[in-house]
Amino acid sequence: MMNAGNDLVLGPYRGAMSPDFDTLEFRAALSDPRALASGPSARILLDRRNLVSVASVPVSPSARADAVVKMFRVSGFKRLKTLLVPGKAARSWRGAAACRAHAVPTPLPMAYIERRARGSVAEGFYLSAYLPDVVEIRWLLRELPPDDLGRLLAALAKFLVFCHNEGILHRDLSDGNILVRSPRPGAYDLWLIDTNRIRVRRSISVLGRLRNLIRLGVPPAYQDLFLRLYLGDGRASRPLVLWYGANKACHARFVAFKKKLRLRRLAERLGIQ
């Protein structure tokens, strides 16, 4: 994956930043990333395994821009992994750069910085441009009336066909990692987020593509339609429809099982997820 950008060194932090934001003011703001992420002026969007907030950052002596600041909490096994592989902030930057290189929509990457201690990542931050008037696709999949839902699924299928044809594989393609904006009734723009899970492949097999769609919360009554929209009527054979449906059902049971046993919370406490 490409790692375009200007090198960034700020005290104990190392990273990269977009040339479009390489100003003294922006660098000064990045020198205290915790204040950006959780200071009194930050608007917290999510505070669980990681912290996600919206902050106004200076980009010139007279201008500011809203940025999404993601602070990755690194501990346990996740921290040990960074002895061998890049941290999540660096992977988010590289994944976003790969998306943009392939013309796949993702919020504009602004910068990432990480602090290492004894060779492993102790903390990491990734900043991207804030997109106004967007929602996670999960809410629209649940709330839209049938006609609008059909149009959304058509837009989603077209978007994902393009991503996969470009070799962009999001390894956590869940409802929370696709943002949607409707610029006018019946029209939808989409973006990929959580880009640390992006991988680039020369080609993606049919089963690899369908496996990538399993986590999407397409309502059961619309799953056959979505598959035909994605594959095309001529390629949506009965075996593929059955394979997709069976794997969707298995995934749903696994998610319910995890919730029942609270495995996700346990994994977060142990630092292995």
Side-chain angles (χ1 to χ4, degrees):
M1 292 184 184
M2 64 178 291
N3 189 24
N6 296 350
D7 290 340
L8 187 59
V9 180
L10 296 169
Y13 295 102
R14 302 289 186 275
M17 65 190 310
S18 167
D20 295 336
F21 296 97
D22 193 351
T23 64
L24 292 176
E25 293 76 17
F26 188 52
R27 284 176 175 262
L30 287 175
S31 65
D32 190 359
R34 282 184 169 270
L36 277 180
S38 57
S41 62
R43 177 163 60 93
I44 305 299
L45 302 179
L46 179 70
D47 189 1
R48 291 184 59 186
R49 178 175 44 181
N50 302 307
L51 175 69
V52 183
S53 61
V54 177
S56 175
V57 296
V59 294
S60 75
S62 59
R64 303 181 71 87
D66 286 339
V68 174
V69 185
K70 190 165 187 177
M71 181 175 75
F72 295 97
R73 295 180 170 123
V74 191
S75 61
F77 178 69
K78 291 186 294 184
R79 182 163 179 174
L80 289 176
K81 280 175 55 178
T82 63
L83 291 169
L84 303 174
V85 300
K88 285 188 175 182
R91 297 203 306 271
S92 296
W93 173 264
R94 295 177 185 182
C99 285
R100 294 181 66 81
H102 289 265
V104 170
T106 192
L108 177 66
M110 299 171 71
Y112 88 91
I113 52 175
E114 293 179 332
R115 179 177 62 82
R116 286 184 175 265
R118 298 181 180 178
S120 64
V121 173
E123 57 180 352
F125 301 83
Y126 172 67
L127 285 78
S128 60
Y130 173 70
L131 298 176
D133 304 320
V134 296
V135 296
E136 295 175 0
I137 200 171
R138 73 174 82 225
W139 308 116
L140 298 187
L141 290 174
R142 297 174 185 176
E143 298 171 358
L144 285 180
D147 288 347
D148 288 335
L149 181 56
R151 285 188 281 268
L152 174 63
L153 291 176
L156 176 61
K158 182 179 179 180
F159 175 72
L160 294 176
V161 166
F162 177 74
C163 292
H164 290 158
N165 285 348
E166 289 293 315
I168 297 296
L169 186 69
H170 197 305
R171 296 179 65 192
D172 186 15
L173 192 65
S174 62
D175 302 344
N177 289 333
I178 299 177
L179 299 181
V180 184
R181 178 193 292 153
S182 181
R184 59 187 182 279
Y188 301 97
D189 298 327
L190 299 98
W191 292 265
L192 287 181
I193 61 171
D194 206 9
T195 52
N196 68 289
R197 302 298 302 274
I198 294 289
R199 301 294 183 270
V200 181
R201 302 286 185 257
R202 289 188 177 181
S203 64
I204 306 173
S205 68
V206 173
L207 288 184
R209 291 169 179 239
L210 296 189
R211 190 178 299 112
N212 194 224
L213 305 179
I214 294 300
R215 296 185 181 188
L216 292 172
V218 177
Y222 290 83
Q223 288 175 7
D224 285 359
L225 170 64
F226 176 65
L227 205 61
R228 292 198 305 273
L229 290 168
Y230 177 84
L231 292 172
D233 286 329
R235 298 183 64 194
S237 64
R238 190 62 182 166
L240 286 179
V241 171
L242 291 173
W243 185 93
Y244 174 74
N247 279 271
K248 283 284 291 181
C250 287
H251 176 70
R253 287 195 292 270
F254 176 67
V255 170
F257 177 72
K258 282 207 309 181
K259 287 182 179 179
K260 186 175 182 180
L261 295 184
R262 298 182 178 179
L263 293 181
R264 180 173 181 174
R265 186 174 299 178
L266 176 62
E268 289 177 2
R269 289 178 178 175
L270 294 176
I272 60 177
Q273 179 173 318

PDB file of all heavy atoms in Angstrom, residues 242-267:
ATOM      1  N   LEU A 242     -27.813 -19.859  -2.031  1.00  0.00           N
ATOM      2  CA  LEU A 242     -27.888 -20.736  -0.864  1.00  0.00           C
ATOM      3  C   LEU A 242     -26.637 -20.602   0.001  1.00  0.00           C
ATOM      4  O   LEU A 242     -26.721 -20.578   1.233  1.00  0.00           O
ATOM      5  CB  LEU A 242     -28.082 -22.190  -1.308  1.00  0.00           C
ATOM      6  CG  LEU A 242     -29.434 -22.511  -1.945  1.00  0.00           C
ATOM      7  CD1 LEU A 242     -29.435 -23.943  -2.487  1.00  0.00           C
ATOM      8  CD2 LEU A 242     -30.568 -22.314  -0.941  1.00  0.00           C
ATOM      9  N   TRP A 243     -25.463 -20.521  -0.643  1.00  0.00           N
ATOM     10  CA  TRP A 243     -24.205 -20.374   0.104  1.00  0.00           C
ATOM     11  C   TRP A 243     -24.221 -19.082   0.908  1.00  0.00           C
ATOM     12  O   TRP A 243     -23.865 -19.058   2.089  1.00  0.00           O
ATOM     13  CB  TRP A 243     -23.039 -20.386  -0.871  1.00  0.00           C
ATOM     14  CG  TRP A 243     -21.684 -20.359  -0.225  1.00  0.00           C
ATOM     15  CD1 TRP A 243     -20.915 -21.425   0.103  1.00  0.00           C
ATOM     16  CD2 TRP A 243     -20.945 -19.189   0.189  1.00  0.00           C
ATOM     17  NE1 TRP A 243     -19.727 -21.006   0.686  1.00  0.00           N
ATOM     18  CE2 TRP A 243     -19.730 -19.649   0.754  1.00  0.00           C
ATOM     19  CE3 TRP A 243     -21.188 -17.828   0.132  1.00  0.00           C
ATOM     20  CZ2 TRP A 243     -18.763 -18.783   1.252  1.00  0.00           C
ATOM     21  CZ3 TRP A 243     -20.233 -16.957   0.636  1.00  0.00           C
ATOM     22  CH2 TRP A 243     -19.036 -17.435   1.179  1.00  0.00           C
ATOM     23  N   TYR A 244     -24.649 -17.991   0.256  1.00  0.00           N
ATOM     24  CA  TYR A 244     -24.710 -16.695   0.915  1.00  0.00           C
ATOM     25  C   TYR A 244     -25.690 -16.733   2.086  1.00  0.00           C
ATOM     26  O   TYR A 244     -25.379 -16.290   3.201  1.00  0.00           O
ATOM     27  CB  TYR A 244     -25.119 -15.633  -0.105  1.00  0.00           C
ATOM     28  CG  TYR A 244     -25.353 -14.259   0.458  1.00  0.00           C
ATOM     29  CD1 TYR A 244     -24.297 -13.454   0.854  1.00  0.00           C
ATOM     30  CD2 TYR A 244     -26.656 -13.746   0.570  1.00  0.00           C
ATOM     31  CE1 TYR A 244     -24.510 -12.172   1.352  1.00  0.00           C
ATOM     32  CE2 TYR A 244     -26.874 -12.471   1.068  1.00  0.00           C
ATOM     33  CZ  TYR A 244     -25.806 -11.690   1.459  1.00  0.00           C
ATOM     34  OH  TYR A 244     -26.026 -10.439   1.949  1.00  0.00           O
ATOM     35  N   GLY A 245     -26.875 -17.284   1.860  1.00  0.00           N
ATOM     36  CA  GLY A 245     -27.882 -17.343   2.912  1.00  0.00           C
ATOM     37  C   GLY A 245     -27.430 -18.172   4.100  1.00  0.00           C
ATOM     38  O   GLY A 245     -27.646 -17.790   5.257  1.00  0.00           O
ATOM     39  N   ALA A 246     -26.776 -19.314   3.832  1.00  0.00           N
ATOM     40  CA  ALA A 246     -26.313 -20.185   4.911  1.00  0.00           C
ATOM     41  C   ALA A 246     -25.238 -19.493   5.737  1.00  0.00           C
ATOM     42  O   ALA A 246     -25.230 -19.568   6.979  1.00  0.00           O
ATOM     43  CB  ALA A 246     -25.797 -21.502   4.341  1.00  0.00           C
ATOM     44  N   ASN A 247     -24.319 -18.813   5.065  1.00  0.00           N
ATOM     45  CA  ASN A 247     -23.258 -18.123   5.794  1.00  0.00           C
ATOM     46  C   ASN A 247     -23.780 -16.907   6.553  1.00  0.00           C
ATOM     47  O   ASN A 247     -23.288 -16.600   7.648  1.00  0.00           O
ATOM     48  CB  ASN A 247     -22.142 -17.720   4.829  1.00  0.00           C
ATOM     49  CG  ASN A 247     -21.204 -18.867   4.518  1.00  0.00           C
ATOM     50  OD1 ASN A 247     -20.217 -19.091   5.212  1.00  0.00           O
ATOM     51  ND2 ASN A 247     -21.514 -19.609   3.459  1.00  0.00           N
ATOM     52  N   LYS A 248     -24.788 -16.225   6.005  1.00  0.00           N
ATOM     53  CA  LYS A 248     -25.413 -15.124   6.737  1.00  0.00           C
ATOM     54  C   LYS A 248     -26.051 -15.653   8.018  1.00  0.00           C
ATOM     55  O   LYS A 248     -25.933 -15.039   9.080  1.00  0.00           O
ATOM     56  CB  LYS A 248     -26.482 -14.452   5.875  1.00  0.00           C
ATOM     57  CG  LYS A 248     -25.960 -13.534   4.807  1.00  0.00           C
ATOM     58  CD  LYS A 248     -25.475 -12.205   5.357  1.00  0.00           C
ATOM     59  CE  LYS A 248     -26.588 -11.348   5.883  1.00  0.00           C
ATOM     60  NZ  LYS A 248     -26.078 -10.034   6.396  1.00  0.00           N
ATOM     61  N   ALA A 249     -26.732 -16.788   7.925  1.00  0.00           N
ATOM     62  CA  ALA A 249     -27.392 -17.362   9.096  1.00  0.00           C
ATOM     63  C   ALA A 249     -26.360 -17.780  10.142  1.00  0.00           C
ATOM     64  O   ALA A 249     -26.559 -17.556  11.343  1.00  0.00           O
ATOM     65  CB  ALA A 249     -28.259 -18.548   8.675  1.00  0.00           C
ATOM     66  N   CYS A 250     -25.252 -18.382   9.699  1.00  0.00           N
ATOM     67  CA  CYS A 250     -24.194 -18.786  10.639  1.00  0.00           C
ATOM     68  C   CYS A 250     -23.596 -17.573  11.342  1.00  0.00           C
ATOM     69  O   CYS A 250     -23.338 -17.604  12.549  1.00  0.00           O
ATOM     70  CB  CYS A 250     -23.109 -19.564   9.899  1.00  0.00           C
ATOM     71  SG  CYS A 250     -23.591 -21.228   9.414  1.00  0.00           S
ATOM     72  N   HIS A 251     -23.373 -16.508  10.582  1.00  0.00           N
ATOM     73  CA  HIS A 251     -22.808 -15.299  11.177  1.00  0.00           C
ATOM     74  C   HIS A 251     -23.762 -14.707  12.207  1.00  0.00           C
ATOM     75  O   HIS A 251     -23.342 -14.278  13.288  1.00  0.00           O
ATOM     76  CB  HIS A 251     -22.494 -14.276  10.099  1.00  0.00           C
ATOM     77  CG  HIS A 251     -21.991 -12.973  10.629  1.00  0.00           C
ATOM     78  ND1 HIS A 251     -20.752 -12.827  11.213  1.00  0.00           N
ATOM     79  CD2 HIS A 251     -22.577 -11.738  10.690  1.00  0.00           C
ATOM     80  CE1 HIS A 251     -20.584 -11.585  11.600  1.00  0.00           C
ATOM     81  NE2 HIS A 251     -21.666 -10.903  11.306  1.00  0.00           N
ATOM     82  N   ALA A 252     -25.055 -14.673  11.887  1.00  0.00           N
ATOM     83  CA  ALA A 252     -26.040 -14.126  12.821  1.00  0.00           C
ATOM     84  C   ALA A 252     -26.069 -14.935  14.116  1.00  0.00           C
ATOM     85  O   ALA A 252     -26.152 -14.364  15.216  1.00  0.00           O
ATOM     86  CB  ALA A 252     -27.420 -14.110  12.173  1.00  0.00           C
ATOM     87  N   ARG A 253     -25.975 -16.266  14.005  1.00  0.00           N
ATOM     88  CA  ARG A 253     -25.964 -17.098  15.211  1.00  0.00           C
ATOM     89  C   ARG A 253     -24.701 -16.862  16.026  1.00  0.00           C
ATOM     90  O   ARG A 253     -24.740 -16.834  17.253  1.00  0.00           O
ATOM     91  CB  ARG A 253     -26.091 -18.570  14.828  1.00  0.00           C
ATOM     92  CG  ARG A 253     -27.479 -18.969  14.353  1.00  0.00           C
ATOM     93  CD  ARG A 253     -27.645 -20.469  14.331  1.00  0.00           C
ATOM     94  NE  ARG A 253     -26.817 -21.085  13.308  1.00  0.00           N
ATOM     95  CZ  ARG A 253     -27.203 -21.307  12.057  1.00  0.00           C
ATOM     96  NH1 ARG A 253     -28.428 -20.951  11.674  1.00  0.00           N
ATOM     97  NH2 ARG A 253     -26.407 -21.885  11.194  1.00  0.00           N
ATOM     98  N   PHE A 254     -23.567 -16.679  15.335  1.00  0.00           N
ATOM     99  CA  PHE A 254     -22.312 -16.441  16.040  1.00  0.00           C
ATOM    100  C   PHE A 254     -22.340 -15.116  16.789  1.00  0.00           C
ATOM    101  O   PHE A 254     -21.901 -15.021  17.933  1.00  0.00           O
ATOM    102  CB  PHE A 254     -21.150 -16.466  15.044  1.00  0.00           C
ATOM    103  CG  PHE A 254     -19.811 -16.134  15.656  1.00  0.00           C
ATOM    104  CD1 PHE A 254     -19.229 -16.994  16.565  1.00  0.00           C
ATOM    105  CD2 PHE A 254     -19.159 -14.952  15.334  1.00  0.00           C
ATOM    106  CE1 PHE A 254     -18.004 -16.700  17.140  1.00  0.00           C
ATOM    107  CE2 PHE A 254     -17.939 -14.653  15.900  1.00  0.00           C
ATOM    108  CZ  PHE A 254     -17.354 -15.535  16.810  1.00  0.00           C
ATOM    109  N   VAL A 255     -22.884 -14.078  16.156  1.00  0.00           N
ATOM    110  CA  VAL A 255     -22.993 -12.775  16.805  1.00  0.00           C
ATOM    111  C   VAL A 255     -23.897 -12.870  18.031  1.00  0.00           C
ATOM    112  O   VAL A 255     -23.584 -12.324  19.097  1.00  0.00           O
ATOM    113  CB  VAL A 255     -23.529 -11.718  15.819  1.00  0.00           C
ATOM    114  CG1 VAL A 255     -23.874 -10.424  16.538  1.00  0.00           C
ATOM    115  CG2 VAL A 255     -22.498 -11.454  14.728  1.00  0.00           C
ATOM    116  N   ALA A 256     -25.031 -13.571  17.897  1.00  0.00           N
ATOM    117  CA  ALA A 256     -25.934 -13.740  19.038  1.00  0.00           C
ATOM    118  C   ALA A 256     -25.244 -14.500  20.170  1.00  0.00           C
ATOM    119  O   ALA A 256     -25.427 -14.183  21.355  1.00  0.00           O
ATOM    120  CB  ALA A 256     -27.195 -14.471  18.587  1.00  0.00           C
ATOM    121  N   PHE A 257     -24.440 -15.507  19.802  1.00  0.00           N
ATOM    122  CA  PHE A 257     -23.711 -16.296  20.808  1.00  0.00           C
ATOM    123  C   PHE A 257     -22.697 -15.424  21.536  1.00  0.00           C
ATOM    124  O   PHE A 257     -22.571 -15.480  22.770  1.00  0.00           O
ATOM    125  CB  PHE A 257     -23.014 -17.466  20.111  1.00  0.00           C
ATOM    126  CG  PHE A 257     -22.163 -18.307  21.023  1.00  0.00           C
ATOM    127  CD1 PHE A 257     -22.744 -19.154  21.957  1.00  0.00           C
ATOM    128  CD2 PHE A 257     -20.781 -18.265  20.944  1.00  0.00           C
ATOM    129  CE1 PHE A 257     -21.962 -19.928  22.801  1.00  0.00           C
ATOM    130  CE2 PHE A 257     -19.991 -19.034  21.781  1.00  0.00           C
ATOM    131  CZ  PHE A 257     -20.585 -19.866  22.716  1.00  0.00           C
ATOM    132  N   LYS A 258     -21.971 -14.583  20.797  1.00  0.00           N
ATOM    133  CA  LYS A 258     -20.994 -13.684  21.421  1.00  0.00           C
ATOM    134  C   LYS A 258     -21.670 -12.717  22.387  1.00  0.00           C
ATOM    135  O   LYS A 258     -21.166 -12.449  23.480  1.00  0.00           O
ATOM    136  CB  LYS A 258     -20.226 -12.893  20.363  1.00  0.00           C
ATOM    137  CG  LYS A 258     -19.135 -13.658  19.669  1.00  0.00           C
ATOM    138  CD  LYS A 258     -18.032 -12.749  19.154  1.00  0.00           C
ATOM    139  CE  LYS A 258     -18.518 -11.605  18.330  1.00  0.00           C
ATOM    140  NZ  LYS A 258     -17.394 -10.774  17.833  1.00  0.00           N
ATOM    141  N   LYS A 259     -22.825 -12.188  21.979  1.00  0.00           N
ATOM    142  CA  LYS A 259     -23.530 -11.260  22.844  1.00  0.00           C
ATOM    143  C   LYS A 259     -24.006 -11.951  24.116  1.00  0.00           C
ATOM    144  O   LYS A 259     -23.936 -11.387  25.208  1.00  0.00           O
ATOM    145  CB  LYS A 259     -24.725 -10.657  22.097  1.00  0.00           C
ATOM    146  CG  LYS A 259     -24.348  -9.646  21.035  1.00  0.00           C
ATOM    147  CD  LYS A 259     -25.578  -9.066  20.367  1.00  0.00           C
ATOM    148  CE  LYS A 259     -25.204  -8.020  19.320  1.00  0.00           C
ATOM    149  NZ  LYS A 259     -26.408  -7.472  18.642  1.00  0.00           N
ATOM    150  N   LYS A 260     -24.461 -13.177  23.961  1.00  0.00           N
ATOM    151  CA  LYS A 260     -24.962 -13.907  25.120  1.00  0.00           C
ATOM    152  C   LYS A 260     -23.859 -14.166  26.130  1.00  0.00           C
ATOM    153  O   LYS A 260     -24.057 -14.057  27.346  1.00  0.00           O
ATOM    154  CB  LYS A 260     -25.584 -15.225  24.671  1.00  0.00           C
ATOM    155  CG  LYS A 260     -26.261 -16.004  25.787  1.00  0.00           C
ATOM    156  CD  LYS A 260     -26.960 -17.228  25.247  1.00  0.00           C
ATOM    157  CE  LYS A 260     -27.674 -17.980  26.360  1.00  0.00           C
ATOM    158  NZ  LYS A 260     -28.382 -19.190  25.846  1.00  0.00           N
ATOM    159  N   LEU A 261     -22.679 -14.507  25.662  1.00  0.00           N
ATOM    160  CA  LEU A 261     -21.572 -14.819  26.560  1.00  0.00           C
ATOM    161  C   LEU A 261     -20.690 -13.610  26.856  1.00  0.00           C
ATOM    162  O   LEU A 261     -19.728 -13.723  27.615  1.00  0.00           O
ATOM    163  CB  LEU A 261     -20.711 -15.940  25.956  1.00  0.00           C
ATOM    164  CG  LEU A 261     -21.390 -17.305  25.793  1.00  0.00           C
ATOM    165  CD1 LEU A 261     -20.381 -18.323  25.292  1.00  0.00           C
ATOM    166  CD2 LEU A 261     -22.003 -17.775  27.101  1.00  0.00           C
ATOM    167  N   ARG A 262     -21.023 -12.468  26.228  1.00  0.00           N
ATOM    168  CA  ARG A 262     -20.248 -11.244  26.405  1.00  0.00           C
ATOM    169  C   ARG A 262     -18.774 -11.460  26.058  1.00  0.00           C
ATOM    170  O   ARG A 262     -17.871 -10.958  26.735  1.00  0.00           O
ATOM    171  CB  ARG A 262     -20.374 -10.729  27.842  1.00  0.00           C
ATOM    172  CG  ARG A 262     -21.802 -10.359  28.210  1.00  0.00           C
ATOM    173  CD  ARG A 262     -21.885  -9.802  29.608  1.00  0.00           C
ATOM    174  NE  ARG A 262     -23.265  -9.420  29.923  1.00  0.00           N
ATOM    175  CZ  ARG A 262     -23.632  -8.910  31.099  1.00  0.00           C
ATOM    176  NH1 ARG A 262     -22.731  -8.719  32.045  1.00  0.00           N
ATOM    177  NH2 ARG A 262     -24.891  -8.590  31.321  1.00  0.00           N
ATOM    178  N   LEU A 263     -18.541 -12.202  24.985  1.00  0.00           N
ATOM    179  CA  LEU A 263     -17.159 -12.505  24.591  1.00  0.00           C
ATOM    180  C   LEU A 263     -16.430 -11.261  24.116  1.00  0.00           C
ATOM    181  O   LEU A 263     -15.220 -11.135  24.315  1.00  0.00           O
ATOM    182  CB  LEU A 263     -17.156 -13.573  23.488  1.00  0.00           C
ATOM    183  CG  LEU A 263     -17.634 -14.970  23.899  1.00  0.00           C
ATOM    184  CD1 LEU A 263     -17.545 -15.909  22.710  1.00  0.00           C
ATOM    185  CD2 LEU A 263     -16.814 -15.500  25.062  1.00  0.00           C
ATOM    186  N   ARG A 264     -17.147 -10.353  23.476  1.00  0.00           N
ATOM    187  CA  ARG A 264     -16.475  -9.151  22.970  1.00  0.00           C
ATOM    188  C   ARG A 264     -15.925  -8.323  24.125  1.00  0.00           C
ATOM    189  O   ARG A 264     -14.796  -7.821  24.061  1.00  0.00           O
ATOM    190  CB  ARG A 264     -17.453  -8.335  22.136  1.00  0.00           C
ATOM    191  CG  ARG A 264     -16.821  -7.061  21.569  1.00  0.00           C
ATOM    192  CD  ARG A 264     -17.762  -6.377  20.625  1.00  0.00           C
ATOM    193  NE  ARG A 264     -17.152  -5.178  20.072  1.00  0.00           N
ATOM    194  CZ  ARG A 264     -17.702  -4.442  19.117  1.00  0.00           C
ATOM    195  NH1 ARG A 264     -18.852  -4.788  18.598  1.00  0.00           N
ATOM    196  NH2 ARG A 264     -17.101  -3.365  18.668  1.00  0.00           N
ATOM    197  N   ARG A 265     -16.737  -8.175  25.177  1.00  0.00           N
ATOM    198  CA  ARG A 265     -16.273  -7.392  26.320  1.00  0.00           C
ATOM    199  C   ARG A 265     -15.053  -8.034  26.975  1.00  0.00           C
ATOM    200  O   ARG A 265     -14.108  -7.359  27.369  1.00  0.00           O
ATOM    201  CB  ARG A 265     -17.405  -7.247  27.333  1.00  0.00           C
ATOM    202  CG  ARG A 265     -17.071  -6.322  28.500  1.00  0.00           C
ATOM    203  CD  ARG A 265     -18.277  -6.104  29.375  1.00  0.00           C
ATOM    204  NE  ARG A 265     -19.355  -5.466  28.624  1.00  0.00           N
ATOM    205  CZ  ARG A 265     -20.563  -5.199  29.156  1.00  0.00           C
ATOM    206  NH1 ARG A 265     -20.801  -5.523  30.419  1.00  0.00           N
ATOM    207  NH2 ARG A 265     -21.485  -4.612  28.419  1.00  0.00           N
ATOM    208  N   LEU A 266     -15.080  -9.380  27.068  1.00  0.00           N
ATOM    209  CA  LEU A 266     -13.949 -10.079  27.638  1.00  0.00           C
ATOM    210  C   LEU A 266     -12.705  -9.884  26.783  1.00  0.00           C
ATOM    211  O   LEU A 266     -11.600  -9.637  27.301  1.00  0.00           O
ATOM    212  CB  LEU A 266     -14.259 -11.572  27.775  1.00  0.00           C
ATOM    213  CG  LEU A 266     -13.125 -12.467  28.266  1.00  0.00           C
ATOM    214  CD1 LEU A 266     -12.681 -12.065  29.664  1.00  0.00           C
ATOM    215  CD2 LEU A 266     -13.558 -13.937  28.247  1.00  0.00           C
ATOM    216  N   ALA A 267     -12.874  -9.978  25.444  1.00  0.00           N
ATOM    217  CA  ALA A 267     -11.735  -9.793  24.550  1.00  0.00           C
ATOM    218  C   ALA A 267     -11.152  -8.390  24.662  1.00  0.00           C
ATOM    219  O   ALA A 267      -9.946  -8.190  24.629  1.00  0.00           O
ATOM    220  CB  ALA A 267     -12.163 -10.074  23.099  1.00  0.00           C
TER     221      ALA A 267
END
